[in-house]
Amino acid sequence: MSGQRGVGAHSRREYGTKCTTKAFRLYLPICVRAVIASFRRTNPGSTATATRQLSLVHAANCDSGRVRRGLRPSESADPRHRKASTIVKFALKAGVCAAATTALVVGAFAPSASAHSTDEWRSRKPFINQFKKIDVIASTVPANGDVNPYGVAVVPRSKDKLRKGEVLVSNFNNSDNHQGTGTTIVQISREGKQSLFAQIDAKKLPGKCPGGVGLTTALVVLRTGWVIVGSLPTADGSSATAQAGCLIVLDSKGQVRETFSGHGINGPWDMTADDDGESVDLFVTNVLNGIVGGQPATTNQGTVLRLELKIKGDRPPVLRKITTIGSGFTEKTDPTALIIGPTGVGLGKDGTLYVADTAANRIAAIPDADDRKTSAGTGRTITQGGHLSGPLGLTIAPNGNVLTVNGGDGNIVETNPCQKAQVAFRTLVENGAGALFGLAIAPDNRGVYFVNDNDNTLELLH
């Protein structure tokens, strides 16, 4: 798993703020622009002032994501953000768009308040700079010899075999090191004890999974105890035999209960979850669209899907709807990496989904990922090039920054999405081209878990 929002992936809906946040996010920009347009007509000499107010509102809106997603309103560091959300909510309910926006621009986001908010996100300290050590936690190789660890997910709650704070790791290769043939998920305790969580037999799957089993970086553990992992299988480790695969759903005892396939699921490569308990949105990157038998070598058909699940009791999740929210990403076959395409995904506090666009060497942003009805294409570029070198795994740091690990050089890179700037990087694996895949924030924000394919280990930056 890359990018699940912290341990347990708490949702904004958990705290009852969805109405306020949707109003804030969806209507505020429209209202602000309407008021400023009117302001410009009546005050033609003040265009610069109006434009500055609009930019300040958006800067504060970016920073106030802490209120709108992941924190209870009472936990906001700045009471002006709570005031702004309340004003928008009730003014919009009354249908007074202009009044709501005027109050927001003139009152809650007056220049002094906006400057404070803008300075706050500009001075946000990089999350990874506080960590100085890297420790090996455990080997990821189970008894059957599977190698090439890909997905990483921290268990949010204890249930049956699952223990809160422990880590699940999926393996992509079998003991012969053939890509797309790994069948195991191992569980690793904080003390470094490794055990087998599941070994999946393609012949015993309860549903369709074209091509069989080859477990990818797409790995999440839900609060209800369900584990979901992606499969992009091959017959012999080559892209010529790669098939569409599926998502495999296991219970908290490690038993496969169902599969999701078709409907756009085609080479599920990575995944994150917005987990509400009974309602879950999965965000899945797919890298085999338009590629059959390894051909053509390059296409621009990579996608990001949102899968809406309903969970009730001990019954397996019900797939209610699939929506394509991102499309047009470059995919290409590769003799070393098998497939290169959109990989890691992480959901920001404001509902923006960040995507590691590996082939384009950039981080993309898809706004309103939970709610949008149409594709955002390849999204807007947050950062490109610089210290990025084939970004793969992605997760969101506690400070809201985006963490990615490079497939090209063994480094981790931290990007501030508000500044659209890379703010920190460091080496995790020396001579680490091809070593890094999944990563996850450790419990209590005490570090970053990552897998090292060179040594087949789970390691901790702390």
Side-chain angles (χ1 to χ4, degrees), residues 214-219 228-232 246-248 268 271:
L215 303 184
T216 68
T217 321
L219 177 65
I228 305 177
V229 63
S231 174
L232 191 164
C246 65
L247 294 178
I248 300 171
M271 174 170 56

Side-chain angles (χ1 to χ4, degrees), residues 3-70:
Q4 193 167 354
R5 287 184 291 103
V7 179
H10 295 302
S11 166
R12 62 185 174 189
R13 291 191 291 259
E14 179 179 359
Y15 305 126
T17 61
K18 186 173 184 180
C19 177
T20 303
T21 65
K22 286 182 70 176
F24 195 98
R25 189 172 72 249
L26 297 178
Y27 295 108
L28 175 60
I30 298 171
C31 296
V32 169
R33 289 188 176 92
V35 170
I36 289 179
S38 176
F39 182 83
R40 284 172 173 168
R41 287 193 298 271
T42 57
N43 300 272
S46 302
T47 300
T49 301
T51 304
R52 179 174 179 273
Q53 287 285 16
L54 177 59
S55 66
L56 288 172
V57 167
H58 282 296
N61 188 33
C62 184
D63 181 60
S64 68
R66 292 171 303 164
V67 183
R68 293 179 287 116
R69 192 178 196 87

Side-chain angles (χ1 to χ4, degrees), residues 136-414:
V136 175
I137 304 301
S139 168
T140 57
V141 182
N144 76 339
D146 277 0
V147 293
N148 202 0
Y150 261 34
V152 180
V154 177
V155 177
R157 294 180 178 178
S158 295
K159 185 176 182 181
D160 298 321
K161 290 174 68 172
L162 297 173
R163 289 292 175 264
K164 181 178 179 179
E166 297 191 348
V167 181
L168 298 189
V169 176
S170 54
N171 286 304
F172 189 53
N173 295 16
N174 65 7
S175 58
D176 293 326
N177 206 27
H178 289 161
Q179 297 187 90
T181 58
T183 61
T184 54
I185 301 174
V186 296
Q187 183 166 334
I188 299 172
S189 70
R190 294 195 188 195
E191 296 74 30
K193 180 181 178 181
Q194 185 232 91
S195 60
L196 182 68
F197 176 74
Q199 184 169 353
I200 302 171
D201 187 342
K203 297 179 181 179
K204 297 181 180 180
L205 292 176
K208 294 180 179 180
C209 193
V213 177
L215 303 184
T216 68
T217 321
L219 177 65
V220 297
V221 185
L222 303 181
R223 294 163 53 199
T224 48
W226 296 100
V227 176
I228 305 177
V229 63
S231 174
L232 191 164
T234 73
D236 58 8
S238 71
S239 58
T241 62
Q243 294 196 46
C246 65
L247 294 178
I248 300 171
V249 181
L250 304 94
D251 61 25
S252 52
K253 297 177 182 178
Q255 301 299 310
V256 177
R257 299 288 296 277
E258 65 180 339
T259 63
F260 300 139
S261 62
H263 306 287
I265 299 172
N266 194 353
W269 204 225
D270 209 337
M271 174 170 56
T272 191
D274 185 6
D275 184 358
D276 241 0
E278 291 188 354
S279 296
V280 176
D281 287 345
L282 299 178
F283 300 93
V284 185
T285 53
N286 295 269
V287 294
L288 282 182
N289 295 297
I291 297 177
V292 178
Q295 297 296 325
T298 302
T299 72
N300 292 315
Q301 298 185 46
T303 60
V304 181
L305 303 180
R306 182 182 68 231
L307 282 67
E308 300 173 29
L309 308 182
K310 190 70 176 179
I311 299 175
K312 190 171 183 180
D314 292 328
R315 287 177 287 184
V318 175
L319 177 58
R320 302 179 66 181
K321 187 177 181 181
I322 297 180
T323 304
T324 300
I325 65 169
S327 55
F329 292 92
T330 298
E331 317 164 325
K332 56 184 180 180
T333 60
D334 185 270
T336 301
L338 188 71
I339 297 288
I340 296 174
T343 308
V345 278
L347 198 60
K349 297 173 184 177
D350 64 349
T352 298
L353 186 75
Y354 297 99
V355 184
D357 186 355
T358 309
N361 199 33
R362 72 180 189 125
I363 308 302
I366 296 175
D368 305 319
D370 268 331
D371 304 310
R372 66 179 311 113
K373 303 296 190 295
T374 59
S375 172
T378 58
R380 66 179 186 270
T381 298
I382 297 301
T383 187
Q384 187 170 24
H387 295 295
L388 298 179
S389 180
L392 292 171
L394 184 154
T395 193
I396 306 300
N399 62 1
N401 286 350
V402 178
L403 304 183
T404 49
V405 290
N406 289 334
D409 61 13
N411 290 348
I412 184 171
V413 180
E414 180 167 348

